[in-house]
Structure formats: C-alpha cells, structure tokens
Amino acid sequence: SMRDPAYFYCSLYISSFCLFMMSLTGLAYQYLWPNWPWWSNLAVPFFMGIIIISIIQFARHMGVVWQYSYIIDNILKIIVALAIAVSALTLVINNYRISIISATGLTGIAAGFGAVALFIFVIKYKHRDARNYLFAYLLFLAGVLLYVLKTFGLLPDVFITNHGIEIGAVFNVVALSLALTDRINVMKDNLQELNVNLEDKVKERTEELEAAMEELEVANDTLMDFNAKLEENQRVAAVDMRMAANVQAGMLPRQAPKNAGLDMAFVFKPM
C-alpha cells in the first residue's frame, strides 16, 4: 500500500541526499540559495541529520523491526532522536564546526550500528527485506570507501574515486527501489494467496451449508410424515373409542339393579 511510511521515508532519503550532495559541492549555494550564505554553511550538517532520520525510519518500517527485536528498534529510535537533535542544534547554535562534528560522529555511530543490525536480521532472522537493504547499504559504503581511500592518497584520482559517494548513492537508491518493488510483489502474492484461500473457504462453507439445508429438508419431510401418521392414528383411535362406548352403552344397563333384600352397588365404566 502507498500508505506505508516506508515509501515516504525513501522519498525523504533521496531528496535529502540530493540536497546534501548539492550543498557539499556548492551547487545548492550557486543555484538554490545564493543569497543565503549562512544557510549554505549549515546545510551540510543539517541534511546529514535528515539523511540519518530518513534512512533509519525507512529501515524500521521496511523491516518491521519492532516485531523482531525491541532492543534493536529502541536503539534505532534513540539514533533518530539524536539525529533530530543534531539537525535542530544546527539551526539553533549556527556554528558549522560543532554541527559538522556532531553530524559526522552521529553518522559514524548510525552506520556502524546499522551494519550490525542488518547482519543480525539477515543471519539470525533470515529477513528478506533486510537482505535487500544490506545489499543497498554495502553498495553505498563501497562508494564512500573509494572516496575516502582516494582522499588519503591510497587510490588514484580518477572519475570513480572522485565520485564514489555519488555512484554508491545511485546504486543504493536503485537497490532500495528494487527492494520496494520486491516488497510490493510479495504483498501482491500474499494478497492473491489470501484471495484464493478465501474463495476456497467460501466455497467449502457454501457446500456445507447446502448439505445442511438438504439434511434439514429431509428431516422436515420425515417430521411431516410422522405428524400425518400420528394424526391418522389419533383419528382412528377416537373412532374406535366412540364405537366401544356405544357398544358398552348398548350392552350394559343405564341404572344399577335394585333388590330389597340385598345391599348392592354397581359401577359401570364405559370403555
């Protein structure tokens, strides 16, 4: 569903990373805010904080981390809170040195713990989304590593090392997009499976209901036959009782015989 927060945080990550790179290279100051030099100095640490917030929130919602480990999820929430504080502090203190040191340190903490958390989810929980996310994460780290090694003179100054971060970010975004696509496909497959199971259950319940209705009709017919026979037997019995009463009334006297010398009593009960 497009209401999934993961899509929002993925979009926020892509936009904030683009603004971060434009601020880092000076393109943002040149084309976006040329009249705001104070903001140009603070944009890099500010967007670093936004990147941390968006990428961690994306990972949390993408992998539904809280369903697997409350400890990891709570640590990720703490990192997000620190990133929010760093971005807010950048705007409040207006000090580039403190802001960039805080943002860089927090980025290192987030990157290190993120890698550990991803490996735990891949190895321990066999999480499919975490596997795709780890692949995207490693691609980005590879680009950053190329840039860092070039900066320290360990790699030659060529196109791939000069733009290692950008190249890694592009592959990272592609991998994240593929991860989202894979998640959508999995959700579609699960939905189709649920629909098939639901149709089978409805069909099964319908057949059971039809069988129960047939049994009820048979039972109803049997009961009606029984009632009809019972009424017929009652009618025949009533006729027989009336005939017996008439016979008895015709054979027996209506009054008891009397004799002056004997004390007799008779009781006649019709059948």
Side-chain angles (χ1 to χ4, degrees):
S1 173
M2 294 303 296
R3 296 178 181 177
D4 192 336
Y7 298 98
F8 167 75
Y9 288 116
C10 183
S11 302
L12 179 62
Y13 165 70
I14 295 173
S15 58
S16 59
F17 188 85
C18 290
L19 291 172
F20 164 76
M21 291 304 303
M22 292 181 67
S23 301
L24 187 65
T25 57
L27 293 175
Y29 177 69
Q30 183 178 358
Y31 295 105
L32 297 182
W33 40 76
N35 298 323
W36 297 351
W38 67 272
W39 169 244
S40 180
N41 292 329
L42 301 177
V44 171
F46 176 81
F47 286 118
M48 288 176 69
I50 301 300
I51 290 172
I52 295 173
I53 295 169
S54 58
I55 201 69
I56 289 181
Q57 287 293 91
F58 173 81
R60 288 184 62 245
H61 289 277
M62 185 75 172
V64 198
V65 177
W66 53 87
Q67 292 185 0
Y68 295 88
S69 174
Y70 280 110
I71 296 177
I72 294 178
D73 186 58
N74 288 331
I75 294 177
L76 291 177
K77 287 181 179 179
I78 293 174
I79 296 176
V80 169
L82 292 175
I84 295 173
V86 167
S87 295
L89 185 66
T90 300
L91 301 177
V92 173
I93 64 174
N94 195 17
N95 188 307
Y96 177 80
R97 183 174 181 275
I98 296 177
S99 299
I100 196 65
I101 291 175
S102 302
T104 304
L106 183 60
T107 301
I109 295 174
F113 180 76
V116 173
L118 283 173
F119 276 110
I120 291 175
F121 268 74
V122 172
I123 296 174
K124 181 177 180 180
Y125 299 112
K126 310 296 182 182
H127 199 287
R128 180 170 178 169
D129 290 336
R131 180 193 62 195
N132 297 331
Y133 194 76
L134 178 62
F135 178 68
Y137 186 79
L138 293 177
L139 288 175
F140 178 68
L141 287 185
V144 174
L145 182 61
L146 290 174
Y147 182 82
V148 171
L149 292 177
K150 185 270 301 184
T151 303
F152 284 97
L154 299 177
L155 288 178
D157 190 355
V158 295
F159 178 81
I160 192 172
T161 55
N162 284 328
H163 301 280
I165 296 178
E166 294 94 323
I167 295 172
V170 169
F171 282 109
N172 185 19
V173 170
V174 172
L176 291 179
S177 301
L178 293 176
L180 285 173
T181 303
D182 178 69
R183 184 180 186 184
I184 293 174
N185 292 332
V186 171
M187 292 172 63
K188 287 182 178 179
D189 293 338
N190 293 336
L191 182 60
Q192 290 178 356
E193 184 178 354
L194 289 174
N195 288 334
V196 171
N197 293 335
L198 180 60
E199 290 176 358
D200 293 339
K201 289 183 178 179
V202 170
K203 183 178 180 181
E204 181 182 352
R205 295 296 182 270
T206 302
E207 292 176 351
E208 292 178 355
L209 181 60
E210 290 177 350
M213 290 296 294
E214 291 177 357
E215 294 178 358
L216 183 61
E217 290 178 358
V218 172
N220 186 50
D221 293 340
T222 302
L223 182 61
M224 292 180 64
D225 292 340
F226 177 78
N227 288 335
K229 292 179 180 179
L230 182 60
E231 291 176 355
E232 179 64 19
N233 291 335
Q234 290 178 343
R235 187 187 66 79
V236 172
V239 173
D240 293 341
M241 290 292 292
R242 286 196 299 270
M243 292 178 60
N246 292 334
V247 171
Q248 188 177 38
M251 296 177 60
L252 298 175
R254 294 182 178 275
Q255 295 181 356
K258 297 180 179 180
N259 191 308
L262 297 175
D263 187 7
M264 294 184 301
F266 296 90
V267 176
F268 301 102
K269 292 184 177 181
M271 296 179 60

